[in-house]
Amino acid sequence: MGNADYVNSSAGVEYGHRVELPPPQPFIKSLKYSLKETFFPDDPLKQFKNQPLSRKIVLGLQYFLPILEWAPRYTFQLLKADLIAGITIASLAIPQGISYAKLANLPPILGLYSSFVPPLVYAMMGSSRDLAVGTVAVASLLIGSMLGNEVKASENPKLYLHLAFTATFFAGIFQAALGFLRLGFIVDFLSHATIVGFMAGAATVVCLQQLKGILGLDHFTHATDLVSVMRSVFSQTHQWRWESVVLGICFLFFLLLTRYFSKRRPKFFWISALAPLTSVILGSLLVYLTHAEKHGVQVIGHLKKGINPPSFADLVFVSPYLTTAIKTGIITGVIALAEGIAVGRSFAMFKSYHIDGNKEMIAIGTMNIVGSCTSCYLTTGPFSRSAVNFNAGCKTAVSNIVMALAVMVTLLFLTPLFHYTPLVVLSSIIISAMLGLIDYEAAIHLWNVDKFDFLVCIGAYVGVVFGSVEIGLVIAVAISLLRVLLFVARPRTFVLGNLPNSMIYRNVEQYPNARNVAGILVLEIDAPIYFANSNYLRERISRWIDEEEDRLKSSGESSLQYVILDMGAVGNIDTSGISMLEEVKKFIDRRGLKLVLANPGAEVMKKLNKSKYIEKIGQEWIFLTVGEAVGACNFTLHTYKPNSSKDEQPDEYNQV
């Protein structure tokens, strides 16, 4: 292709740029590039190239065990910071662990077990310096809800416990597999709006479930929806215990007051962090001294001493419960991954370092696999605990090791002290933690910015609160996917006009001063063209042409002669899209008009060339910019008939 120029004398602009065909690229090479960008965008093997075998082994170990990379550079100054942070988060992890285990209908001691082994595994394999590992309320609620539909914890506690271990095992297998197979992008299908609505709904449901502890009820519904909970609460008004209610309100007020104070004075973050453990100590002393357990205040009871017993032999791999365990594991595993990775990335951004999402999946998955074999249930990196870790000044993952050692000391020597801990205090701790997950400010922001995202958020919230956690999650994901499908199936098309005194063309709705060009209709297609939207685009382009001709006819302006399609936003096109362009050309030809293309990308040009479409339209009618296309149309419009053949054009105009 040469560089011959032509001049549009009326505009005084010289055009010499042409749309080039991309160099031929083998299909295997193109496929390899696509797969690399999908699964290996960070090129993890890059560091292994041109390295001796011994160095490759060291790098491989450091890749899967990041502790081997930073541990040799660890200093006493870092240890002092991590020691303070670790002790601080341990004071939060102990009461939260016990509380969340009760939320999952599991023995309270499992909450402490789950705060001992998994943090040690993550400290060796995780890439986040700030993530504090432990149990989370939403995952605990999901486990209690999904397993409770199959087996009642009160009727068959042993089987229920074994299913919880099995679900954790499959969650870990699924999480680690996503990391090894580089499928981390799957988690991205949970949009920000989905997570905001889902977390708020789950937090609301968790708070409602705590009415059992606050009111001191012995029997409570296993359902999580609002209607069932309210029916259960108000059908037992004669069993409400005022002692429990007063105690619960007092401790809840104390916890919320400390959180408010710490939020207003960030330097005193430790007050809020120590409040749950302080509540447990005060509540236990109050019950012990007043013998409140004899007057309707329920307590935890006996917690056995000792660290985690092995539980691999307790995993259930037989029907009919295997399907339930797998389903529970996958759903809770995805939620735990989404929360853990999102929290890790958030704090990494504050400290300007990078965490590898796939390595995080492998680390979180491995710690859950190991945890399921050591009497732990599902763990991840909860926001509240990680925020305390961050504010306490942690420097590395050693803070998790310190926390785990503190929990170990508690398991070995201090568990009898929790005998008199009132359940109402645990309920207050859970409610105070969950209120922070109801992010109404984020929902208001979604409403102001994007109404569809707000609909996704509300759909998730309503589904969780009035249906179940699983229903809410399905609704949120379904609405999110529907939005993606609508975007693909119904892409936007715009009429472009010329901004005065420029060669710039923009959407006439966005820029009211943009002027239509006489005899020329310029349309922009704002998405790739695939089978899902090709029919719609053909019909929409036809309607644009009809509407433009009707407008010109009614206003008495010159008739339409050219239709220019701006392909700048069309990143790709399939065979259905090419067939659509062929039908559009036939339609335009029948109307006595001329089709012109502007700014097609390399992938589009390659496929148009292979399909012989360029020969049909004529490469001289494909331009680099809309401005050049309009200039050429105006040049021809004032000199030649629009449908004159290529041979009738002057040599200086022919671009190829």
Side-chain angles (χ1 to χ4, degrees), residues 558-614:
S558 57
S559 62
L560 186 63
Q561 300 292 334
Y562 292 93
V563 177
I564 300 175
L565 296 183
D566 181 3
M567 309 280 283
V570 182
N572 209 333
I573 190 171
D574 64 1
T575 54
S576 298
I578 295 172
S579 297
M580 181 275 292
L581 289 180
E582 291 174 347
E583 293 176 16
V584 167
K585 184 182 183 305
K586 292 177 182 178
F587 172 80
I588 289 176
D589 288 344
R590 288 196 299 268
R591 305 289 284 265
L593 309 176
K594 184 66 183 177
L595 177 63
V596 182
L597 302 184
N599 195 23
E603 192 68 21
V604 174
M605 280 296 290
K606 181 179 70 175
K607 293 184 179 179
L608 293 181
N609 183 53
K610 288 184 177 181
S611 65
K612 309 298 182 184
Y613 184 80
I614 291 180

Side-chain angles (χ1 to χ4, degrees), residues 58 64 81 136 166 320 398 425 465 488 584 642:
V58 172
F64 289 105
V136 288
T166 310
V398 170
V425 171
V465 173
V488 173
V584 167

Side-chain angles (χ1 to χ4, degrees), residues 158-233:
K158 186 176 181 180
L159 176 59
Y160 183 88
L161 178 64
H162 294 175
L163 285 179
F165 293 151
T166 310
T168 303
F169 175 79
F170 282 113
I173 292 290
F174 180 71
Q175 292 167 336
L178 288 181
F180 278 115
L181 298 176
R182 317 289 293 183
L183 297 175
F185 61 89
I186 291 178
V187 179
D188 295 335
F189 280 98
L190 291 174
S191 65
H192 172 68
T194 301
I195 293 175
V196 169
F198 177 79
M199 288 297 184
T204 302
V205 168
V206 169
C207 291
L208 291 173
Q209 290 289 314
Q210 299 320 300
L211 291 176
K212 175 185 178 182
I214 295 292
L215 298 174
L217 299 176
D218 294 319
H219 304 287
F220 205 70
T221 178
H222 294 287
T224 60
D225 63 283
L226 177 64
V227 176
S228 298
V229 171
M230 290 295 100
R231 184 183 295 119
S232 180
V233 167

Side-chain angles (χ1 to χ4, degrees), residues 612-654:
K612 309 298 182 184
Y613 184 80
I614 291 180
E615 295 180 7
K616 297 176 183 177
I617 193 175
Q619 191 157 352
E620 68 273 14
W621 293 108
I622 302 177
F623 296 88
L624 189 61
T625 67
V626 173
E628 292 186 3
V630 172
C633 293
N634 274 328
F635 180 82
T636 310
L637 192 61
H638 293 89
T639 312
Y640 305 96
K641 295 180 180 179
N643 286 322
S644 56
S645 66
K646 176 182 175 182
D647 294 336
E648 296 175 319
Q649 306 294 336
D651 291 338
E652 68 268 22
Y653 178 71
N654 291 331

Side-chain angles (χ1 to χ4, degrees), residues 13 39 84 86 132 244 356 365 385 402 404-405 409 412 436 449 467 479 488 497 549 561 570 574 582 597 617 641:
V13 181
F39 299 105
I84 295 173
S244 183
D356 186 327
R385 204 172 302 179
V402 174
L405 293 177
V409 172
L412 291 175
V449 175
I479 296 177
V488 173
E549 289 191 328
Q561 300 292 334
V570 182
D574 64 1
E582 291 174 347
L597 302 184
I617 193 175
K641 295 180 180 179

